[in-house]
Amino acid sequence: MHSPLYYSFATSADTTQPSRDTVPVHTLADSAYVPNDSLLTNDSTGMLHTDTSEKRVKIDTFDVKISKDSIDAPVNYMALDSMVLDVAAKKLYLYGETDVKYKDVNLTAPELSFDQQTNIVKAKMKFDTTGKVLGQAKLVQGDITTVSDSLEFNFKSQKGLSHSSYFQQGELYNYAESVKKVDAQTIYALRGRFTTCNYDTPHFAFRAKRIKYISQKVAVTGPVGVEFEGVPVLPIILPFGMFPMKHGRQSGILPPQLTVTQDYGLGLEGLGYYKVISDNFDVTTRFDIYSYGSWRFNLTPTYRVRYKYNGSLNFSYQNTHFGFKGDADYNKTKSFFLTWGHRTDSKARPGVSFSANVQAGSSSYTRYNPSNAILDQSNGAGGSYSQPLSFTNQLSSSISYQKSWIGKPYNLSVNMNHSQNTQTKIVNLNLPDINFNVTTLYPFQPKEMAGSGKWYQKLGVGYTGSARGQASFYDTAFSWQQLVDTFQWGAQHNIPISLALPQLGPLQISPGFSYQERWYSQKTFRSWNNTTRKIDTTLQKGFYTARDISMSISFSTSMFGTLTMKNKNAHIQAIRHTMRPQFSIGYKPDLSKSYYRNTQVDTLGHYMMLSQFDRTTYGSFGYGRSGSIGFGIDNFLEMKVRAKKDTVSKQADEDDEGLKKVKIIDGFGFTGSYNLLADSFKLSTINIYARSTLFEKINITASATLDPYKVDKLGYRINQYAWQGDRFSLGRITNGSLSVSTSFKSKAKDPKKDKKVVNEYDNYDNLTADEMQQQMEYIKRNPSEFVDFNIPWSINLSYSLSFSQQLQSDYTYKTRLTSSMNFNGDFSLTEKWKVGANGYVDVTNFKIPSFTMYITREMHCWQMAINVTPFGLWPSFNISLYPKSGMLRDLKINRTRTFRNFSN
């Protein structure tokens, strides 16, 4: 094995001409010589001496002419085997893993030659005696890497020609029989092929006779065809092609998707244009059109200023036609929908934040949306359709401004809220909603306190103030007069006073006092009308106030108990029970008696205490005075178990003895109170709750409200305990809820790949809450596009049950029960095939409003997905075939068919 030879040279053609000695020798006898040195001059005596009056002049006689055809930088080269220099022909030959570097050009090849006169380097591939390729010519310049069978490159003009070349431009992998490089950014290819598949024999490719590449900008072709596995698809030939290769946002046309729906006919969805106006602003326009006359327009501008704020707005207007003109069931509906999301960076202005999350529009939009979706901009410039609105009955919006004064004990928030029920078509507005808070101040505490201080120094005073205006109207009959008539405002002030007393052994004592005042803009007067046999209601506008005072003292402590097993080798080593009882005494005078009226509510003679400040912004204070005793107990149960012996590494929750803590019950308890001063119903309802995580897999949360009193046939309470009488009972459960959720999945085939996917999802931390919700809804609607083949199988289940007794408008009680279950899961049939399903089950009505199943095929650089929704409001099926490359994401072969199910 030879040692590599390293050389460096700068080329020129006869650049050094013969010249005289640069330091000529002269004598004083030379009459032609006139000294020009300030150190030697002749005086009148003929003697030599120094003379400082004359300056010394230095003459440089070096004179070299640079040839016009020389290169402007040295060439460094290396050869592992040998080098041959032909001096006469001015050529250099390198053999054995050669490496030549010139400025930003790096050329490697098994062998190459360099012509000093033309500045052209030639390289070619080499075979061994068996015909095996030992190496190819590789040229790297800038971000372009070319691997060829042979190539020629001119160092001076930076032009080159290669044959049978492979090179990569952005996401494109390219091959061409001949490649001509005209400069560092431009390449011409003859009889070329390009693809986003990185296999040597790609699964698919575009083939054209002539192609022009401009680095990091665009690839332009003449007539271009498509081939799969080397087989051309003859009917698919485009007259020309333009393939953007720029990174980041680029303006351009957004291609549509073909779809077919039962009610709207053949349609083109998503046709539009994306325009980049500046680095901080862009606009997307999309248009949907259907053969039966319906259409929809979307306008979506987005804006961003790095480290300051970002946001997006989407306005959608649709014109929906049902049936055909002249038919009896013909219907035409116009509707709109508006979304706006905004978020500021917390570092832009410390202590100040502004955010917005707006969803508003016509109620009919959510029901008659042709694509059953709204535009989602979370996937980039092009956007996608997501978030099924047919199951959305409630729309809400919020705009919030918050300010905290740094170093000051107060903060301010200003909010505007909107809620809209698409079934009742009622819109409720809260604007503005202003809150001003002062954190607890300690007026008797010195600025510099030593030790724990005196007890009175821990007396704290706080303040919370708020003001709110609200209005209601029907979205189908909006008028400014209706908005003014329904508008009301209110304010609330709360001053809490607390005292943190020193702990008395295991007992913590906390006294407190609170003063509240509310301002109202209207009163409600209700009276029973014997003629109409119903309650008459009248409103009176004005300025009204109400006050309330309460005081309390609470006691709390914690008790522990541990059961230790005698057998040290037992799996369960100990069980620990923690109990936290609490006890309080409170008093509240009756300051609201003057605005309560005992009013008849039905024809049977039932009466209820109704306040004149019901249905106001802040509601009414409670009726009657109260001298209550509060009680409650919270329990926590856990155990220590011995870890499995086959554990390879120590877990984070294990101690040095190999014991692991396992929670049995995260929380279980109840709370209630007893009013000593009440004339009836002294015992309050009992609130019961429980939380647990079984086997670290099953999450269970339950709560219930127990009413200890009996009721009559109409549901009205009777002042008699449930356990009194012949039949013993602890009471009635008036409302409760239960939720159970769990998820299971197999181990990842490649843990490193699974970790990479987790890191990609961390990017969602920069999304707003609205963008995050849209992204999640898009994943739910298109699960086949987010399949993880690294997980062989997974399943997620959740169940929820809730019921409550609600007072109706006719002042009767009715129990409402809801029960539902959500599920989703998938499993791999093979390494490339996966099937899955997700759905929502309405257990109460024994219906499945939403169910989607899918099957997907992973094809390396492409992916095929089939989504089927067999029943529900919008039954549909979809077949799509699309490349994984982001550059070709609009090149989707899609077939969609949607049907309208009017029975739902």
Side-chain angles (χ1 to χ4, degrees), residues 35-40 51-59:
N36 195 14
D37 194 335
S38 61
L39 299 178
L40 298 174
D51 184 1
T52 59
S53 63
E54 301 241 358
K55 293 184 179 180
R56 181 178 180 180
V57 179
K58 185 177 181 180
I59 300 176

Side-chain angles (χ1 to χ4, degrees), residues 487-759:
F487 181 81
Q488 60 171 311
W489 63 270
Q492 178 175 256
H493 310 274
N494 184 18
I495 302 177
I497 301 175
S498 60
L499 180 61
L501 295 177
Q503 189 168 339
L504 300 177
L507 194 64
Q508 180 67 49
I509 304 176
S510 303
F513 176 85
S514 177
Y515 171 80
Q516 295 186 66
E517 181 171 332
R518 294 176 183 173
W519 298 348
Y520 304 97
S521 62
Q522 67 180 30
K523 278 185 177 181
T524 302
F525 296 94
R526 285 169 289 191
S527 61
W528 179 256
N529 190 324
N530 290 320
T531 303
T532 60
R533 306 174 69 82
K534 66 178 184 179
I535 294 179
D536 292 336
T537 303
T538 58
L539 297 178
Q540 180 178 322
K541 298 286 186 177
F543 176 74
Y544 310 98
T545 62
R547 298 163 185 84
D548 190 55
I549 296 175
S550 63
M551 56 197 73
S552 64
I553 182 170
S554 63
F555 307 86
S556 61
T557 186
S558 296
M559 295 182 288
F560 308 91
T562 303
L563 175 63
T564 305
M565 304 302 173
K566 295 181 179 181
N567 185 1
K568 298 299 182 181
N569 297 322
H571 180 64
I572 300 176
Q573 289 293 301
I575 298 177
R576 181 184 177 91
H577 176 216
T578 303
M579 183 170 61
R580 302 183 182 92
Q582 56 184 358
F583 176 79
S584 64
I585 301 175
Y587 174 75
K588 183 182 78 70
D590 187 7
L591 301 182
S592 57
K593 183 178 180 179
S594 59
Y595 48 81
Y596 269 90
R597 299 290 183 270
N598 194 17
T599 307
Q600 183 179 345
V601 296
D602 60 15
T603 58
L604 299 177
H606 289 103
Y607 284 79
M608 295 182 66
M609 296 299 296
L610 303 179
S611 173
Q612 296 175 354
F613 296 132
D614 287 340
R615 302 176 184 176
T616 55
T617 52
Y618 290 100
S620 176
F621 291 116
Y623 173 75
R625 62 175 185 165
S626 171
S628 61
I629 298 175
F631 53 87
I633 296 178
D634 183 44
N635 297 272
F636 177 75
L637 193 64
E638 63 180 349
M639 63 181 178
K640 278 189 174 183
V641 299
R642 189 170 298 279
K644 295 181 180 180
K645 295 182 179 180
D646 58 351
T647 302
V648 177
S649 59
K650 179 181 176 182
Q651 300 297 320
D653 53 356
E654 291 182 21
D655 56 19
D656 295 335
E657 298 180 358
L659 299 179
K660 180 181 179 181
K661 290 183 179 180
V662 177
K663 295 179 180 179
I664 303 176
I665 298 178
D666 297 336
F668 170 73
F670 62 89
T671 59
S673 64
Y674 187 85
N675 189 355
L676 298 173
L677 301 181
D679 55 0
S680 60
F681 304 106
K682 295 186 176 183
L683 182 62
S684 70
T685 56
I686 308 299
N687 299 313
I688 307 170
Y689 61 89
R691 302 183 306 275
S692 180
T693 303
L694 299 180
F695 315 111
E696 299 182 352
K697 284 292 184 181
I698 304 175
N699 301 312
I700 302 175
T701 303
S703 65
T705 300
L706 181 68
D707 188 348
Y709 291 96
K710 295 181 178 180
V711 295
D712 60 13
K713 295 181 180 181
L714 296 179
Y716 288 91
R717 302 174 77 193
I718 302 174
N719 191 23
Q720 184 179 359
Y721 291 116
W723 51 82
Q724 293 178 343
D726 299 335
R727 185 177 179 181
F728 177 80
S729 174
L730 291 177
R732 301 174 300 107
I733 298 180
T734 58
N735 60 70
S737 64
L738 172 67
S739 63
V740 182
S741 63
T742 185
S743 63
F744 302 93
K745 68 177 182 178
S746 61
K747 293 182 179 180
K749 295 179 181 179
D750 185 357
K752 294 182 180 179
K753 184 177 180 181
D754 191 48
K755 185 177 181 181
K756 181 180 179 181
V757 173
V758 173
N759 294 334

Side-chain angles (χ1 to χ4, degrees), residues 427-470:
V427 179
N428 296 311
L429 298 178
N430 290 332
L431 69 161
D433 188 353
I434 304 173
N435 296 274
F436 182 78
N437 300 314
V438 179
T439 57
T440 304
L441 304 175
Y442 298 92
F444 302 111
Q445 189 177 97
K447 294 182 178 180
E448 297 181 2
M449 187 175 63
S452 59
K454 304 295 183 180
W455 66 269
Y456 59 85
Q457 293 177 343
K458 298 182 179 180
L459 181 69
V461 181
Y463 171 78
T464 301
S466 62
R468 180 188 304 159
Q470 66 181 31

Side-chain angles (χ1 to χ4, degrees), residues 786-828:
F786 299 89
V787 172
D788 187 1
F789 283 91
N790 196 40
I791 304 295
W793 62 268
S794 66
I795 184 171
N796 300 281
L797 300 171
S798 65
Y799 173 78
S800 64
L801 169 69
S802 64
F803 63 93
S804 62
Q805 286 189 345
Q806 299 179 359
L807 182 64
Q808 305 300 304
S809 58
D810 58 355
Y811 296 95
T812 60
Y813 290 91
K814 183 178 181 180
T815 301
R816 294 185 178 273
L817 174 68
T818 59
S819 178
S820 63
M821 182 177 68
N822 289 275
F823 62 90
N824 67 77
D826 58 65
F827 68 93
S828 299

Side-chain angles (χ1 to χ4, degrees), residues 235-305:
I236 305 178
I237 297 179
L238 302 176
F240 67 92
M242 296 183 67
F243 299 85
M245 296 188 299
K246 286 185 178 180
H247 296 291
R249 302 173 300 135
Q250 303 297 324
S251 300
I253 297 174
L254 302 176
Q257 293 185 9
L258 181 66
T259 184
V260 178
T261 60
Q262 182 180 9
D263 299 314
Y264 308 104
L266 184 67
L268 290 176
E269 294 182 346
L271 175 64
Y273 189 81
Y274 173 70
K275 175 63 178 177
V276 178
I277 298 177
S278 67
D279 293 340
N280 302 326
F281 190 74
D282 54 60
V283 178
T284 303
T285 57
R286 283 185 179 270
F287 195 79
D288 304 340
I289 187 169
Y290 302 88
S291 59
Y292 292 174
S294 299
W295 57 269
R296 182 174 62 153
F297 172 75
N298 284 284
L299 178 66
T300 309
T302 62
Y303 55 90
R304 68 201 63 80
V305 176

